[in-house]
Amino acid sequence: LVDRDLVIAARDGDHPAFVDLVHACGDRLFAVAYRILRDVDRAEDALQDALVIAWRDLPSLRDPDRFDAWIHRLLTHVCIAQATRERRRTANLRILPLDGPTAPDDLLGVALRDQLERGFRRLTPDERAVLVLRHYVGYTPTEIADLLDLPSGTVRSRLHHAHRAMRAALDADARVSTTGRTSA
Amino acid sequence: MTDDPDLERVLNVWLDGGPTSMPDRVALVVADRTARQSQRPSWHVAWRQITMNAYAKFIVGAAAVLIVVAVGFAAYTAGSNPATVGGAVPSATVAPTAAPTPAPTPGPSATATPLADPPTVEFVGSLPEGWSVRGGANWAGTINIQLAFDAGGETDGMHIELLPNRAVMAADCTLGPQPGVETTATAITDALATRPGLIAGPTTAAAVGALAGHQVDVRVDPAVGTACPDEGSGFTPLLGYFAGPDWLFIGTQPDEVDRLIALDVSDGRNVVVVIAAPNAAAFDHHIDDAMAIVAGLVFDVGP
């Protein structure tokens, strides 16, 4: 959790405090953005946008103790919006090796990770988000529902569909798609 | 959470992999952008959450009616011309001229390999409010300049892409360039202006930096079905390049409006500036800003 005083200072317009806040929570938020978007550049873009919006709208945060949930909500919405925009771009892109370290590789084979990547990219942005919030951030479905302003049943439904799709991807033979088609 | 503990374990392990550190440049960019942006007063954000009861709605509605009546009366007594009030909304600047069907022209294909030495691009000047530069070569060799994210806003998705060394993609969605179309600016804009499925405005001369070429505005003709059955209704391919081993290309979707400014570099090399808007309203609203940005581009094309 970030420093409450830092949140209050940033909320009250203290720009250096906001920059400190960015450093304090940036790693965690970047990790979430990357996992939803599966691309370092796009995660950077989304995080930048979310943080700029956060600075702009921080005065609306009445309870500084809710900052963590508030910023996660903001980031998730930005990521979903960005993924929705970009989905057309990457839907059929050839899967390239991931950027950055992938530490627990020993536990998952390359082929398995590839299948997971393919399955994940086929999910809708909303499903990606709930999957990451559930399995990476560790929120419960109820907390995700609260975070995203969705009925709990909707979150559970998205999770269920995402799990089923990921299981299907794992069970499927590797498929290779080699074209990139995007929209201007 | 799932009834598949194996899947749960796999997902947890898989998602644990990947980068966990925010690149330093993100904090620098955010610090810079926010230093130039003031915070929104809390009431500005919170007002939408206020729910009004029926009585309050009546009061607000009545007040609005009184204001409208008062303004109308004042305008009437001042002799203003009511015809100027609430004028027509300007339409998209793309001229709605139907594109003729091009005759197939046999000839040599556009080059199938990347052209050497794509020019580097610099932007000189200041960006209008709301625009920001996104990463350098952040996708397929493009440089993006786009509006900062505006949640749910009309401008969402408006962007400028700089595409070096592009070829016109085949109209039938096969992965390759359109046969017979060279990579000069004239050839590119002429081919796209007459592409089946597109409505194009007039092709006009253009100059950006020290480069000259032609420009054309295009949008999908809703009356024509897609040539790309895998891409959904109305998707029409535009420009691509060979990224080895595959062609990567952009297309346009229904509702989008794109201004394509093709510029000759030399020896068949080109740069295509794409101003892409998600819809006609966004295009009309921001095209002047976008063109001002484009006017500030400088290309270093080397010797």
Side-chain angles (χ1 to χ4, degrees), chain A residues 35 44 85 179 181-182 184, chain B residues 15 25 156 175 231 251 256:
Chain A
R35 278 152 184 81
E44 284 186 25
R85 278 205 306 272
T179 64
R181 300 174 185 183
T182 81
Chain B
L15 287 170
R25 59 182 169 273
D156 191 6
L175 275 179
E231 297 295 343
E256 292 182 2

Side-chain angles (χ1 to χ4, degrees), chain B residues 238-263:
Chain B
L238 297 175
L239 300 160
Y241 82 124
F242 187 69
D246 308 309
W247 280 82
L248 296 176
F249 64 97
I250 63 168
T252 190
Q253 306 263 6
D255 297 331
E256 292 182 2
V257 181
D258 300 320
R259 174 163 293 177
L260 309 168
I261 307 171
L263 303 165

Side-chain angles (χ1 to χ4, degrees), chain B:
Chain B
M1 181 60 222
T2 82
D3 54 2
D4 186 345
D6 182 50
L7 175 64
E8 185 139 357
R9 182 190 67 81
V10 167
L11 288 175
N12 290 341
V13 171
W14 176 62
L15 287 170
D16 270 346
T20 54
S21 297
M22 174 180 68
D24 291 339
R25 59 182 169 273
V26 174
L28 293 173
V29 170
V30 169
D32 180 58
R33 286 174 64 184
T34 51
R36 290 181 279 111
Q37 179 178 343
S38 55
Q39 288 184 308
R40 191 184 268 181
S42 58
W43 57 264
H44 190 90
V45 177
W47 74 270
R48 291 182 212 162
Q49 299 165 4
I50 297 172
T51 54
M52 288 190 291
N53 61 30
Y55 179 72
K57 285 178 182 174
F58 173 78
I59 294 295
V60 170
V65 169
L66 285 174
I67 290 170
V68 169
V69 170
V71 170
F73 180 74
Y76 176 76
T77 55
S80 64
N81 180 3
T84 61
V85 178
V89 177
S91 61
T93 52
V94 177
T97 51
T101 304
T105 49
S109 295
T111 179
T113 55
L115 296 166
D117 302 325
T120 58
V121 189
E122 290 180 0
F123 173 71
V124 177
S126 57
L127 290 170
E129 186 178 0
W131 292 77
S132 59
V133 177
R134 297 296 177 79
N138 62 354
W139 186 82
T142 66
I143 298 170
N144 273 346
I145 300 173
Q146 57 186 272
L147 283 176
F149 179 79
D150 180 11
E154 170 216 332
T155 58
D156 191 6
M158 181 89 181
H159 62 280
I160 301 171
E161 290 183 344
L162 311 178
L163 313 174
N165 297 329
R166 257 44 178 190
V168 173
M169 291 300 288
D172 63 1
C173 283
T174 53
L175 275 179
Q178 179 71 30
V181 177
E182 300 296 334
T183 53
T184 63
T186 305
I188 288 172
T189 49
D190 284 352
L192 294 177
T194 55
R195 167 143 293 187
L198 291 182
I199 294 174
T203 301
T204 58
V208 179
L211 302 180
H214 287 86
Q215 71 180 48
V216 64
D217 295 350
V218 298
R219 62 186 170 92
V220 169
D221 184 347
V224 178
T226 181
C228 309
D230 294 339
E231 297 295 343
S233 176
F235 181 90
T236 304
L238 297 175
L239 300 160
Y241 82 124
F242 187 69
D246 308 309
W247 280 82
L248 296 176
F249 64 97
I250 63 168
T252 190
Q253 306 263 6
D255 297 331
E256 292 182 2
V257 181
D258 300 320
R259 174 163 293 177
L260 309 168
I261 307 171
L263 303 165
D264 289 313
V265 177
S266 63
D267 304 326
R269 291 187 298 158
N270 63 59
V271 175
V272 182
V273 180
V274 179
I275 301 172
N279 52 57
F283 186 89
D284 282 348
H285 194 195
H286 297 290
I287 188 62
D288 289 343
D289 273 355
M291 289 301 287
I293 292 172
V294 171
L297 297 173
V298 177
F299 300 95
D300 177 6
V301 298

